[in-house]
Amino acid sequence: MGVAGSRMAGMGEINGLLAGRVFLRFSFTLVHLAMDQHLIDAIAKGDHVKAQRLSSLMSTVNSVISFALRPVAGALLDSYGRKPFLVLCPLFSAIARACVLARPGTREYVAYRILINIALLPLWSAITSYLCDKFGRATPKYTVAMQRMRVILTLVGLLANRVGSRIGSAKTNIALSCLVNLLASASFLLFTSESLKKEERKEFAVSKAANPLSFLSLISRSQRLRSLAPILIMQAVPDYDYTSGTFYRQRFGWKVTETANLMFFNQISGIIESWVCPENPMIRSLGIKATTQLSGILGTIMDLNSAYTTIPETIYCNSVLSIFMHGRTAIDALVSAEAKRLKLGSGELSAALANLTTPLRFVMPAVYSELFAYFQS
């Protein structure tokens, strides 16, 4: 009876985490759907190139901030627990969005991007670390829990897409996202407990946490991590191309509704992938090397399709191809297994992997943005 009660309590806490994530997914989907449009209409006054440059500039600035503060956030997570960040991060992000909505201007947008970056910096690590605390890193239970959440959150994203598309107004969508973010904060406060045990907490070392290059010493501890580092960097290169949304809006005249349709197809592909990914049949059949190579080939095909197609509907084919891209899953499994062997803290590992790609964050958004501006001119 005691064991059954403990299991029920554990599942209740995971469901509490899931409830908060449901609100977060709904909120972030609305913001992703509307913020670029709000930037173009209310802040850049219809100037697509100005909007893209401003957005890319802030991505670079936030990369510098993240690089400096991410080790601090990881150390705080491992020292003071996960719940404080689960509660406070959504609250602060709601306040930041409300401010840029109330006062649309270049300075206000800059302040918003900085505040939202600082507010959300520890959030995703806190969520991942929470699950690691409950199930262990890279265990079958952890994988099942992540996939279960992914399916549910994808369905929530579909619902948010429909709601945001029906609303249409960028301002209304952003306002609604602020309210939903407050609900996420309340859910984490009421329905989750602290997952990091006191005996597992690490002492907060200011000298180590304040050193943004501490990830180098962590990676140097393992030959396998040193070997995987270049692959992780190359896999992250496409992540910093933020021009696609602006490109589609300018070339095809897309608005909120068309962007919502693309997000709908992306989320459907996510649901399909969630049913395929847990057992990793592609990785078992092709092996880690071939699976990673296939992902690179498919990514190239998707980029060429986006760049040269004259038919907007063919962009949706990218969602279908993404179902078969499991290269990151294969590499992440190797990293997680090695981190478990080295007994690394979840916050510390997340910070190290994120700072590993910092050079890309500094350079690539500006490179993509300037290329976009050059070819538009």
Side-chain angles (χ1 to χ4, degrees), residues 299-310:
T300 301
I301 294 173
M302 292 163 60
D303 290 338
L304 291 173
N305 177 45
S306 297
Y308 293 107
T309 184
T310 57

Side-chain angles (χ1 to χ4, degrees), residues 17-293:
L17 181 72
L18 177 59
R21 289 207 66 187
V22 163
F23 289 123
L24 284 178
R25 173 55 67 89
F26 199 99
S27 172
F28 280 109
T29 301
L30 294 177
V31 169
H32 183 69
L33 195 61
M35 187 56 77
D36 284 349
Q37 195 67 47
H38 182 63
L39 171 61
I40 293 170
D41 293 342
I43 299 172
K45 307 301 181 184
D47 188 336
H48 289 76
V49 172
K50 177 182 177 182
Q52 185 59 53
R53 279 178 167 163
L54 180 58
S55 179
S56 295
L57 172 64
M58 290 313 304
S59 296
T60 302
V61 170
N62 276 336
S63 294
V64 176
I65 296 173
S66 298
F67 179 68
L69 296 184
R70 191 175 285 112
V72 177
L76 289 172
L77 279 171
D78 290 335
S79 298
Y80 299 104
R82 327 305 189 190
K83 185 168 181 176
F85 299 95
L86 292 174
V87 175
L88 294 177
C89 290
L91 175 63
F92 289 141
S93 64
I95 295 173
R97 287 176 190 150
C99 291
V100 77
L101 187 63
R103 296 184 56 125
T106 301
R107 287 182 299 179
E108 287 77 9
Y109 178 76
V110 169
Y112 155 75
R113 288 292 299 269
I114 293 174
L115 288 174
I116 203 77
N117 181 56
I118 295 174
L120 297 180
L121 193 60
L123 179 59
W124 305 122
S125 293
I127 292 172
T128 303
S129 298
Y130 190 98
L131 290 173
C132 288
D133 295 339
K134 294 295 182 181
F135 299 116
R137 190 194 307 274
T139 63
K141 289 184 178 180
Y142 175 86
T143 302
V144 170
M146 289 291 287
Q147 294 302 329
R148 172 196 171 195
M149 296 180 93
R150 182 174 182 179
V151 171
I152 295 173
L153 294 175
T154 302
L155 293 173
V156 171
L158 291 173
L159 175 61
N161 255 330
R162 295 297 95 188
V163 172
S165 180
R166 290 289 183 89
I167 291 174
S169 167
K171 290 183 178 180
T172 305
N173 277 323
I174 296 171
L176 180 58
S177 77
C178 294
L179 175 61
V180 177
N181 246 40
L182 294 177
L183 294 176
S185 180
S187 294
F188 289 134
L189 176 64
L190 297 174
F191 303 120
T192 62
S193 61
E194 180 53 60
S195 61
L196 185 62
K197 299 176 182 179
K198 290 184 177 181
E199 60 270 20
E200 295 177 351
R201 299 190 182 191
K202 301 179 181 296
E203 182 180 355
F204 182 76
V206 177
S207 59
K208 182 179 180 181
N211 179 13
L213 298 177
S214 59
F215 72 96
L216 294 175
S217 61
L218 185 147
I219 293 174
S220 66
R221 292 170 57 184
S222 164
Q223 176 61 45
R224 173 164 288 187
L225 289 180
R226 290 196 297 272
S227 301
L228 293 173
I231 301 175
L232 291 168
I233 292 173
M234 295 305 297
Q235 286 181 329
V237 170
D239 294 348
Y240 304 100
D241 179 11
Y242 305 128
T243 63
S244 297
T246 305
F247 177 70
Y248 298 150
R249 289 182 179 90
Q250 187 175 44
R251 185 173 186 182
F252 303 127
W254 281 13
K255 298 293 184 182
V256 171
T257 300
E258 290 80 9
T259 303
N261 289 336
L262 178 59
M263 292 175 65
F264 174 83
F265 278 93
N266 289 339
Q267 289 163 335
I268 288 294
S269 72
I271 292 178
I272 297 173
E273 183 184 355
S274 294
W275 290 104
V276 175
C277 191
E279 300 300 327
N280 292 324
M282 186 172 295
I283 297 175
R284 292 203 312 271
S285 300
L286 301 179
I288 290 177
K289 182 178 179 179
T291 300
T292 305
Q293 292 172 333

